[in-house]
Amino acid sequence: MTKNQILYSLKDYLPLFFVLCFSGNPVFTSTGYSKQLLILFAITFIIYTLSSISSKKVNKPVFRLLLIILCIVILSTFQKYSLGAISIPGVVALVLKITIALFMMLYYQSKEINVFHLYVNLLSILVKISLPFFILNYFINAGIYLPFNDSKTVLFYTSFNRPIDEIRNSGMFWEPGAHAGYLILALLFIIMHNRKFIIGNFKKQALWIVVGLLTTMSTTGFLVLAIIIFIYVFQNYKYGRVIVLPIVFLISTYAYNNLEFLSVKIEEQYTLATEMESSDVSNTRFGSLNMDMQYIMDQPFTGNGLDSKKRYRFHPWINEEVGNGNGMSNFLVFWGIPFFLLWVFSFFKFSLDYSGSIGTAIIVTIIILLVLQGEQFLNYPIFLLFFTATALPIIRYEEQVLDEYI
């Protein structure tokens, strides 16, 4: 691999950027034409990728994709039989999202580009772009109007009409917590690339990603970042950890106790969740988990499907999307425990293949499960790609070349 082969151009970034858009940019996911855009992009991109790569390179990944689709079809059949209804558009959309994620990886495989390294670069670039709009959002709510939460978009940034003390950096996504989750994933790719919790060649990218995380003021993002910093210090400061870890602990404790979106938000949500009755509805992470448990226990193996009437059949007075605040429990409700465990195993296997370290793979998997306690990431291609990621070899760059490039 030569230096010129990792000097990314705008053309290199475009497929990943569009898949990222379908992973939570409101223009692509929250408008009346979102489904049409997804279908159009999927068909166009799949045909383009197939026309430019060898059929031999497609066989194993597509076989893995077909197995995942078969699982979805079997689960949907059981849901239809046991509950009486399924959402065919929802099932088709899920299959398309998993498919475009796989074909994105196939595209970059054919170009000998490490898509996960590219992802880290792209997220750091998007943070730089978001910061001026984030500052501007303190003064005006600019952009094209979106049909939810009094928000507007300029494609690269989603702004909200809120009091100054509630302004947070949502980046190009539907809300700040989503932005934080994708930034955390970028940090995890850095960790997997380096095989342990070190920054290595990604100092500039990591700096911008952390800056972006801090501006999201995301509860989950801050807690996970604190965990990553603790592990980083523990692994890299053999003697200094005696001094550094207590300092990090004191700073973390101070931040938790003095930042309203941490202690107050977590403790209040937890208290409300413990006081919930079975008929109560909640869209917080703890409340959603509590509410979802009765659906998970009722259909633990096959899930409840995507049909809203069946999904909320124990709360029939719900006639619209309530904004589930726990991505993991929501996916468990939809597809059951075995299918979720398949995703967890697939992610673990991918992180093991990428990092080459069982310890790193276990920790990274635990961290990603914490990230899922917030937003609905498993509804989108970037997180769904782990279903099929292990079907492709990981392209690695020579470290000296990476040093020169970065």
Side-chain angles (χ1 to χ4, degrees):
M1 182 66 65
T2 65
K3 181 179 179 182
N4 289 335
Q5 286 177 288
I6 58 171
L7 293 177
Y8 304 126
S9 66
L10 176 61
K11 182 181 177 181
D12 293 328
Y13 283 108
L14 282 178
L16 176 57
F17 174 73
F18 280 117
V19 173
L20 199 60
C21 285
F22 283 106
S23 296
N25 185 296
V27 174
F28 291 79
T29 61
S30 302
T31 60
Y33 47 82
S34 296
K35 291 179 181 178
Q36 292 87 336
L37 277 178
L38 176 63
I39 294 170
L40 178 62
F41 175 78
I43 293 173
T44 305
F45 186 58
I46 290 168
I47 293 174
Y48 175 76
T49 303
L50 287 174
S51 67
S52 60
I53 62 177
S54 168
S55 59
K56 292 182 179 179
K57 293 183 179 181
V58 176
N59 292 339
K60 181 181 177 182
V62 169
F63 179 72
R64 177 61 182 260
L65 173 65
L66 292 176
L67 287 178
I68 298 298
I69 294 174
L70 179 62
C71 289
I72 295 171
V73 171
I74 291 173
L75 289 173
S76 297
T77 302
F78 275 103
Q79 291 163 4
K80 175 68 174 178
Y81 176 78
S82 61
L83 299 175
I86 59 172
S87 171
I88 293 178
V91 172
V92 171
L94 177 66
V95 170
L96 286 178
K97 291 170 186 176
I98 296 173
T99 302
I100 64 173
L102 172 62
F103 274 83
M104 177 191 71
M105 290 187 290
L106 282 169
Y107 171 85
Y108 285 114
Q109 186 77 22
S110 70
K111 303 295 182 183
E112 296 188 348
I113 292 175
N114 183 322
V115 64
F116 309 108
H117 177 263
L118 190 72
Y119 178 92
V120 172
N121 276 17
L122 179 58
L123 266 291
S124 66
I125 292 170
L126 290 174
V127 167
K128 297 175 189 177
I129 295 174
S130 74
L131 291 177
F133 292 105
F134 168 59
I135 295 171
L136 183 64
N137 197 186
Y138 277 94
F139 304 97
I140 59 172
N141 181 23
I144 301 171
Y145 179 77
L146 292 168
F148 69 94
N149 294 339
D150 199 10
S151 57
K152 293 182 178 180
T153 180
V154 290
L155 185 61
F156 293 103
Y157 187 81
T158 307
S159 63
F160 295 87
N161 185 20
R162 292 175 178 170
I164 290 180
D165 60 343
E166 295 181 14
I167 298 297
R168 300 154 59 200
N169 186 353
S170 56
M172 62 179 279
F173 303 101
W174 72 92
E175 83 110 36
H179 191 195
Y182 287 114
L183 291 172
I184 289 291
L185 184 61
L187 290 180
L188 296 183
F189 285 147
I190 292 174
I191 291 164
M192 285 185 269
H193 178 88
N194 291 318
R195 304 180 189 277
K196 59 183 295 188
F197 281 70
I198 58 176
I199 299 173
N201 295 300
F202 297 90
K203 293 181 178 63
K204 293 179 182 178
Q205 293 95 326
L207 174 62
W208 284 110
I209 289 167
V210 170
V211 169
L213 262 172
L214 294 177
T215 58
T216 66
M217 289 172 270
S218 162
T219 304
T220 302
F222 268 57
L223 292 176
V224 172
L225 179 60
I227 292 170
I228 291 174
I229 292 173
F230 266 96
I231 299 172
Y232 171 82
V233 171
F234 186 81
Q235 287 190 353
N236 295 284
Y237 293 88
K238 186 174 182 180
Y239 301 105
R241 72 179 64 151
V242 177
I243 298 173
V244 178
L245 274 180
I247 294 174
V248 173
F249 177 77
L250 289 173
I251 293 173
S252 300
T253 302
Y254 177 84
Y256 178 82
N257 290 324
N258 289 274
L259 295 177
E260 186 175 345
F261 63 88
L262 289 175
S263 59
V264 174
K265 184 177 180 180
I266 292 173
E267 292 167 14
E268 183 179 273
Q269 288 185 5
Y270 178 76
T271 300
L272 290 174
T274 58
E275 297 173 351
M276 283 178 63
E277 301 291 339
S278 61
S279 59
D280 289 341
V281 176
S282 174
N283 63 358
T284 67
R285 56 178 51 82
F286 296 118
S288 294
L289 176 61
N290 192 344
M291 175 181 163
D292 288 342
M293 282 306 299
Q294 56 188 310
Y295 294 94
I296 296 170
M297 298 306 294
D298 186 69
Q299 295 283 115
F301 301 111
T302 60
N304 300 265
L306 301 172
D307 182 83
S308 59
K309 291 182 179 179
K310 302 303 177 182
R311 191 262 182 264
Y312 291 113
R313 64 189 179 281
F314 299 135
H315 301 81
W317 48 89
I318 295 178
N319 56 12
E320 59 183 15
E321 177 58 49
V322 296
N324 191 292
N326 192 303
M328 187 183 81
S329 68
N330 197 39
F331 192 82
L332 283 163
V333 170
F334 285 152
W335 298 108
I337 297 172
F339 195 59
F340 174 70
L341 291 180
L342 175 61
W343 183 89
V344 174
F345 175 77
S346 300
F347 180 87
F348 170 77
K349 182 65 167 58
F350 163 78
S351 59
L352 179 60
D353 291 345
Y354 199 177
S355 68
S357 166
I358 293 178
T360 297
I362 291 173
I363 296 172
V364 165
T365 302
I366 292 172
I367 289 174
I368 208 67
L369 290 176
L370 293 175
V371 171
L372 292 181
Q373 301 310 304
E375 307 294 335
Q376 306 298 314
F377 295 114
L378 288 176
N379 285 346
Y380 299 111
I382 291 296
F383 274 71
L384 291 172
L385 68 81
F386 298 109
F387 271 125
T388 56
T390 55
L392 291 166
I394 296 170
I395 295 172
R396 295 190 178 277
Y397 303 133
E398 297 176 12
E399 293 304 313
Q400 63 268 30
V401 173
L402 210 53
D403 282 331
E404 292 178 20
Y405 167 61
I406 297 177

